[in-house]
Amino acid sequence: MTDNGSQQQATPQSFLIADCGHVNTTVALFDVAVDSYHLIARATVGTTAEPPWNDITLGVRQAIHRLTAVSGRPLLDRKENLIKPARANGSGVDHFAFSTSAAAPLQTILIGLSDDVSLSSARRALDNVYTNEIDKFDLSDDRDEKEMVKAFLKLKPDLIFITGGTDGGAEKRLLTLIKSANLGINVLRSIKTPHLVFAGNKELRERVQHIIGSKVKLIVTDNVRPELNHENLDDAIKTVSALYTEQLSTLAGIDTLKKWSDLAPLLTAQAFAISSDYFASLNGGTVVGIDLGSHSVTLLVADPDLHDLTINADMGSGYAAKVLAVSTVQDITRWLPYEIKEAAVRDYIYNKSLHPRIIPATEAELLLEQAFAREMMRHVVNDTTKQWLQSDDGRLPPFQLLLVRGRMLTNAPRTGQALLMLLDALQPTGIFAVALDTYGVLSALGTLATLDPLAAVQTLENGVLQNLGWVVVPVGKGQPDQIVLNVTLNAGSDSKIEVEVAYGTIEIIPLEPNRKTEVLLTPARRFDIGLGQGVAKKISIQSSSVGLLIDARGRPLTLPDDDEERQSLIRDWIRDVGG
Amino acid sequence: MWVDKVKQYTHSTAVQAAAMIRVERMLPSKGKVIARTGQAISPAQIIARTPERGNFRALPVAKALGISLKSFKKHLLVKKGDRIKEGMPLLRVKGFRTREYTSPLDGRLYDINNGRLIVQYRTGWIEVRAIVAGKVVSRTPERGVTIELSGSRIEGVWSTQREAFGNLKVLSHKGSMPLAPFQLNDDLADHIIATGRLTDIKPLEMAADIGIRGLIAGSITADLTSIVKRLPYAVIITDGIGHQPMAEPILQLLQNADTQLTSLLGQQPRPEIIIASSDGGVVTATHTPPPAIAEAGQIVRVLQAPYYGKTGKIIKIYDKIQRMPIGIMAYGAAVQLEDEQIVFVPYANLDAIIG
């Protein structure tokens, strides 16, 4: 491993990084080519952690073989073991590491004083790890001790996360709650011993330990809410991440990957967050990342200094049935340009959950999958903005770059479809670029950054993403056909192109390939593109797959109630972004 | 030279005729195993049992007698693990006026917690029946047994989490036929019935009134999934949720096994249908087949429209990623369907039928 450029030049190292999701496994090879690090090749195959395969290494080896077929570089020996370090004949690789989200999320019961203070902080910490809140107890809960025990026995949690009380604050009510929880834990022990974490008032640690006794290991972390107006989540995140890493040992074959690896396994979402941090630092701005995985949806906001991460491990593009718990069938079908029976939607979604790997093979199925994907992302954004920003409008903060992962988005037949799904679900505002992780390597890059930051930076600078385009979203109240934005493009020499964008429409302006274009954006008097009402901005943008997209449909996006009218509008939008 | 090493693993479903099958029957928690190794076993036989352990009651003894948490332990008359009887004194505080706390129930003292006695009481037994007919080939102490039998095995995709056994009656000659009231009569009582699709609640309720023990179908609509969970018989679905027909190889195997003893194991992560061979049969496969690799000749069923539910044979593996008609790029294979049509199907939408 190297940590500076001079050593790098002396002994260039090669890196093989795997990311094992629930459904797909991607393996990427990074090496020096023409003086700097590049993504040399990558391969994606199905994950084989679950029955009928029961061996996560089958998929990883399969992907490595595919990588060898593409690159011509042998990486496995005759016994199917990784050749490490690299040999003089060009075979093998110097370093291997992996990230994963393939283990089941930690089923978690939260205990704390109040839902909107201590439990809220606990959730923000747990959102950073693959956890699933299955129940919570606070002072407003009217269930008695007996019902608490029943809930413990029924739900059999993997993790009980106790928080509450500022440091040096109220004691008695929290201790009473913990005594009741301890009864549940003791009874639960006859079936299963859960992890027990205390992340509350630090003055109470000894007394909590005394109540819990020695039968269950109490893991103590820093108080997630040491003061009413201050959160401290890092220690709790680190602790729960370690517990999830322990959970990984339930994956058959993981020991082989650990033996190959130079690092302890990273969580896929956390590796994605690391690479997003790099983008935020390189661009000096705010980056929003979304990963629509098969079994989870990850949303993050990264600034050069910090990031907020939310993993919703309760649903995903494959594990789709849970979307019906947060959205009605009508919520889903409102995004469709065609009529469909409610029962048919439920059939499709339930069946998809039985076979999470399947991919749509007809246009109608594709649009239906994209419709419920919108609802999943919308739900996560609404939930997250409430948590992070205490805001009910579901509005993300302004950002400069949107990073997009997840095969339903990156493997959409037409890139405009992915862009439209994102605009409908996230309803962003302002001016920003969109980049697709088409090769599925952003988590691998995060892992690479942990091994060798310089290699990660060079690879990023050499380009691993598909630049989808630039988006401008003017915000304000308007009438149909009212001009809300004037766009002036400098098309080279002395020629200029001027485009007027009307309220309620989507406009795509193609850009000349392989050159930068100067664009002047002038919003109407009562419209804002992120700088204030009516304030214009000049930007210089690189050519991209879609070009410059102006979303002048308004925020929040409203759809007509009339079915025919709405379906016609959705058809228009799909056509506008390229079909 | 490396291309031929790129194996493509596909999802698979075991549809095994005349196989040697092993079925594990285990208790959810430690208990007593009744069946012996070598013993011939019938489906109704109980092979292991354990007391139901899920019931606990917290007795607030310290609070009831008004004694402090620090001192209450010295007054205890019982210790952890002791069996206790209703009316038995559990705690006695001697003094001018001796006070006692007597047990309100029978049970076992599970724990002592903050001035409370946690009593575990029994409401019944958890009993594991064999469900299949065969011979016990191994015992796992305190947990259960492995039973071996010759017969057929079909993996399902969804179940109501129930188990049942009975003689099989196949009601449909086509995998696409929905269960209809006219197919049901009192002769089906205690049987396992098999049909193409479940689309209507009425015949499902009639089947409950008749007293069938179990039902096998190719598909069930999403709206019926919660309803059938409330019905008193076991249901295993072999193909999917919606209106898919039962795959032809599964239907054929069930038709060939009509009237034979059939077991529905619906409590496993992947539900299974086990059909005991009536004559011992010729065994052609043993135990569980290995995971399938997509290769020419492999029998598959298609899991997605427009060929959903159709079976066929892989005739070509594509080394390079292909563009599907709707534009998605995917690795896959050329499959010759039953009607001779040759279509490209991504691996993600294929399910290998392995026997």
Side-chain angles (χ1 to χ4, degrees):
Chain A
M1 214 183 312
T2 59
D3 58 6
N4 66 53
S6 60
Q7 282 179 356
Q8 202 77 67
Q9 283 168 358
T11 52
Q13 304 281 290
S14 54
F15 299 88
L16 189 68
I17 313 283
D19 176 42
C20 307
H22 256 282
V23 161
N24 289 308
T25 290
T26 296
V27 178
L29 177 64
F30 302 94
D31 206 344
V32 171
V34 199
D35 294 337
S36 68
Y37 275 98
H38 284 75
L39 169 67
I40 303 295
R42 72 96 175 89
T44 299
V45 301
T47 298
T48 52
E50 292 182 346
W53 308 284
N54 289 317
D55 183 354
I56 198 167
T57 64
L58 288 177
V60 173
R61 287 185 167 113
Q62 183 194 357
I64 294 174
H65 279 304
R66 203 180 279 285
L67 226 153
T68 296
V70 174
S71 67
R73 182 169 178 166
L75 295 164
L76 295 174
D77 65 17
R78 286 183 182 178
K79 289 182 178 171
E80 297 275 289
N81 285 316
L82 187 66
I83 302 168
K84 198 180 106 174
R87 293 177 187 166
N89 64 5
S91 64
V93 69
D94 294 305
H95 302 283
F96 174 83
F98 71 106
S99 57
T100 182
S101 57
L106 293 167
Q107 302 297 330
T108 305
I109 290 182
L110 290 183
I111 295 169
L113 286 176
S114 68
D115 194 71
D116 54 354
V117 182
S118 48
L119 290 188
S120 168
S121 296
R123 284 191 189 102
R124 272 192 284 276
L126 293 169
D127 275 350
N128 285 263
V129 192
Y130 295 96
T131 58
N132 186 16
E133 182 183 330
I134 49 174
D135 206 344
K136 55 116 184 174
F137 292 90
D138 59 27
L139 293 179
S140 67
D141 203 305
D142 55 7
R143 285 174 290 181
D144 63 15
E145 194 175 66
K146 197 175 171 187
E147 284 171 304
M148 193 175 190
V149 172
K150 265 189 184 170
F152 276 47
L153 282 172
K154 186 181 168 203
L155 299 170
K156 300 180 189 70
D158 300 314
L159 169 65
I160 296 166
F161 192 93
I162 305 171
T163 179
T166 51
D167 286 343
E171 300 178 353
K172 195 177 170 191
R173 292 185 305 168
L174 182 61
L175 291 174
T176 307
L177 208 52
I178 293 171
K179 279 176 191 168
S180 298
N182 184 43
L183 179 62
I185 293 161
N186 274 301
V187 170
L188 180 62
R189 270 194 318 119
S190 68
I191 303 165
K192 174 181 185 176
T193 304
H195 298 295
L196 181 61
V197 172
F198 177 67
N201 182 351
K202 71 177 182 188
E203 313 293 332
L204 297 184
R205 286 175 187 169
E206 276 185 27
R207 287 159 76 182
V208 173
Q209 181 67 70
H210 181 71
I211 293 170
I212 300 298
S214 57
K215 294 162 214 153
V216 179
K217 187 184 168 195
L218 177 72
I219 305 167
V220 175
T221 76
D222 290 348
N223 188 354
V224 289
R225 196 75 174 243
E227 294 163 34
L228 206 55
N229 296 318
H230 174 59
E231 277 186 340
N232 177 17
L233 308 180
D234 290 351
D235 195 30
I237 293 170
K238 201 171 144 192
T239 300
V240 180
S241 299
L243 296 177
Y244 182 79
T245 308
E246 267 182 45
Q247 180 104 329
L248 294 178
S249 60
T250 57
L251 295 174
I254 197 90
D255 289 344
T256 302
L257 297 188
K258 282 183 183 170
K259 269 185 211 158
W260 289 357
S261 182
D262 298 11
L263 289 176
L266 268 72
L267 275 57
T268 296
Q270 291 179 356
F272 176 35
I274 293 170
S275 59
S276 302
D277 290 345
Y278 272 74
F279 275 100
S281 297
L282 286 174
N283 296 325
T286 303
V287 171
V288 165
I290 184 128
D291 182 359
L292 178 58
S294 165
H295 283 56
S296 62
V297 185
T298 301
L299 179 71
L300 61 89
V301 176
D303 284 320
D305 307 322
L306 56 96
H307 69 243
D308 278 316
L309 173 66
T310 288
I311 304 169
N312 185 319
D314 204 18
M315 62 175 144
S317 59
Y319 191 50
K322 278 288 172 78
V323 72
L324 294 171
V326 294
S327 297
T328 63
V329 173
Q330 291 91 335
D331 288 337
I332 295 166
T333 55
R334 68 188 167 137
W335 301 111
L336 290 175
Y338 62 86
E339 195 72 46
I340 184 170
K341 286 185 177 163
E342 283 193 21
V345 173
R346 277 193 287 273
D347 283 349
Y348 189 89
I349 291 174
Y350 276 54
N351 197 57
K352 176 87 181 177
S353 293
L354 281 186
H355 306 289
R357 287 165 191 259
I358 55 175
I359 50 181
T362 66
E363 201 69 30
E365 287 174 349
L366 176 73
L367 293 169
L368 179 54
E369 291 211 0
Q370 293 182 348
F372 67 69
R374 281 175 171 89
E375 282 304 303
M376 286 176 187
M377 292 190 285
R378 192 184 65 86
H379 166 71
V380 173
V381 168
N382 285 350
D383 225 31
T384 305
T385 49
K386 269 183 209 162
Q387 288 272 345
W388 287 346
L389 311 169
Q390 309 291 313
S391 137
D392 282 329
D393 66 1
R395 191 78 59 83
L396 283 165
F399 57 89
Q400 285 74 51
L401 174 64
L402 177 61
L403 292 176
V404 182
R405 269 173 63 78
R407 285 176 72 79
M408 192 184 279
L409 292 161
T410 60
N411 206 23
R414 286 165 292 282
T415 45
Q417 291 176 346
L419 197 47
L420 188 59
M421 286 161 72
L422 292 160
L423 293 174
D424 292 346
L426 309 184
Q427 301 200 23
T429 56
I431 306 168
F432 57 93
V434 183
L436 284 189
D437 182 17
T438 312
Y439 300 128
V441 296
L442 272 179
S443 285
L445 268 173
T447 308
L448 175 63
T450 312
L451 279 170
D452 189 334
L454 184 69
V457 171
Q458 287 183 355
T459 308
L460 281 178
E461 285 175 339
N462 287 324
V464 286
L465 302 178
Q466 182 187 359
N467 290 323
L468 203 54
W470 280 79
V471 177
V472 179
V473 184
V475 178
K477 283 191 177 161
Q479 298 297 320
D481 298 330
Q482 177 192 345
I483 302 302
V484 297
L485 186 72
N486 278 290
V487 183
T488 309
L489 288 93
N490 185 346
S493 58
D494 290 332
S495 62
K496 283 185 178 174
I497 299 170
E498 293 204 12
V499 181
E500 290 184 331
V501 184
Y503 186 78
T505 64
I506 294 176
E507 192 77 51
I508 287 190
I509 304 166
L511 301 174
E512 273 192 55
N514 304 320
R515 66 179 291 263
K516 278 200 166 182
T517 306
E518 301 285 327
V519 182
L520 176 65
L521 302 161
T522 313
R525 202 158 50 91
R526 291 196 175 152
F527 279 79
D528 182 0
I529 54 170
L531 303 161
Q533 288 189 345
V535 180
K537 185 174 172 71
K538 198 179 232 181
I539 54 172
S540 174
I541 55 178
Q542 191 72 40
S543 60
S544 55
S545 341
V546 172
L548 175 64
L549 186 148
I550 315 295
D551 181 357
R553 297 177 298 170
R555 294 288 183 267
L557 190 57
T558 47
L559 297 171
D561 291 333
D562 178 74
D563 288 349
E564 276 186 29
E565 201 184 325
R566 190 183 58 251
Q567 286 162 13
S568 165
L569 190 61
I570 299 281
R571 256 193 304 276
D572 288 348
W573 290 344
I574 293 173
R575 189 201 56 223
D576 290 344
V577 297
Chain B
M1 73 184 254
W2 290 95
V3 176
D4 60 355
K5 277 201 166 184
V6 182
K7 292 174 185 168
Q8 180 62 51
Y9 298 98
T10 67
H11 203 272
S12 61
T13 292
V15 182
Q16 297 173 277
M20 211 61 182
I21 299 160
R22 285 191 170 188
V23 176
E24 282 191 348
R25 303 292 296 158
M26 299 289 165
L27 287 165
S29 54
K30 283 181 184 178
K32 187 177 180 187
V33 180
I34 299 159
R36 299 180 311 277
T37 305
Q39 185 182 352
I41 216 105
S42 65
Q45 236 168 306
I46 293 165
I47 56 99
R49 65 154 56 121
T50 187
E52 268 185 345
R53 293 172 202 272
N55 291 306
F56 293 85
R57 189 156 157 193
L59 307 177
V61 289
K63 194 176 172 188
L65 296 189
I67 49 177
S68 72
L69 293 184
K70 277 184 185 166
S71 67
F72 101 103
K73 276 191 180 175
K74 71 179 180 192
H75 302 295
L76 277 176
L77 303 173
V78 284
K79 61 181 188 304
K80 261 172 61 178
D82 281 358
R83 290 198 175 281
I84 57 177
K85 293 272 179 199
E86 187 179 342
M88 180 176 163
L90 302 176
L91 187 128
R92 184 176 293 133
V93 182
K94 288 182 182 168
F96 176 68
R97 199 166 62 95
T98 297
R99 290 169 294 155
E100 272 187 0
Y101 187 100
T102 56
S103 175
L105 76 168
D106 291 347
R108 187 175 67 91
L109 184 57
Y110 176 77
D111 203 2
I112 301 161
N113 179 291
N114 291 300
R116 295 166 298 189
L117 301 184
I118 316 301
V119 179
Q120 186 179 38
Y121 63 96
R122 202 177 73 199
T123 50
W125 293 90
I126 296 171
E127 293 175 330
V128 175
R129 290 178 192 274
I131 303 294
V132 295
K135 195 166 97 175
V136 175
V137 290
S138 69
R139 261 168 70 112
T140 304
E142 299 182 318
R143 286 288 178 177
V145 298
T146 301
I147 301 167
E148 190 173 77
L149 70 151
S150 69
S152 304
R153 173 172 166 261
I154 300 165
E155 284 182 318
V157 295
W158 185 86
S159 79
T160 50
Q161 304 281 309
R162 287 172 181 265
E163 298 185 324
F165 60 89
N167 290 334
L168 179 67
K169 186 66 197 165
V170 181
L171 302 181
S172 306
H173 60 276
K174 283 176 78 176
S176 58
M177 270 182 79
L179 183 66
F182 75 88
Q183 294 173 302
L184 301 168
N185 59 57
D186 288 342
D187 294 343
L188 296 173
D190 297 327
H191 277 70
I192 304 287
I193 64 172
T195 186
R197 298 184 290 132
L198 304 178
T199 58
D200 184 11
I201 180 66
K202 199 175 166 195
L204 293 168
E205 287 173 340
M206 276 179 69
D209 292 340
I210 287 165
I212 68 161
R213 290 188 185 171
L215 201 164
I216 304 164
S219 63
I220 182 170
T221 59
D223 292 341
L224 288 177
T225 52
S226 55
I227 296 170
V228 293
K229 281 182 183 166
R230 295 198 293 267
L231 295 174
Y233 50 83
V235 178
I236 289 185
I237 300 299
T238 58
D239 289 73
I241 307 283
H243 291 269
Q244 306 85 334
M246 181 179 280
E248 197 55 31
I250 295 175
L251 181 64
Q252 270 179 20
L253 197 157
L254 291 173
Q255 283 171 337
N256 292 339
D258 203 28
T259 73
Q260 284 173 223
L261 175 65
T262 299
S263 306
L264 304 187
L265 302 172
Q267 292 184 344
Q268 308 170 158
R270 182 117 196 231
E272 284 186 328
I273 302 158
I274 306 285
I275 304 163
S277 168
S278 54
D279 55 1
V282 179
V283 173
T284 54
T286 54
H287 312 311
T288 308
I293 293 167
E295 52 194 0
Q298 173 68 53
I299 302 293
V300 291
R301 64 176 164 182
V302 184
L303 296 176
Q304 187 72 306
Y307 311 107
Y308 203 149
K310 293 195 173 176
T311 52
K313 189 194 284 183
I314 292 179
I315 57 166
K316 185 184 173 186
I317 297 293
Y318 289 98
D319 292 332
K320 293 201 170 121
I321 198 161
Q322 304 291 306
R323 182 179 293 278
M324 294 166 62
I326 60 164
I328 290 180
M329 304 294 289
Y331 283 98
V335 176
Q336 185 168 34
L337 301 174
E338 296 139 337
D339 59 5
E340 304 294 313
Q341 193 184 176
I342 296 172
V343 295
F344 170 77
V345 184
Y347 293 129
N349 295 354
L350 278 181
D351 187 31
I353 304 270
I354 49 176

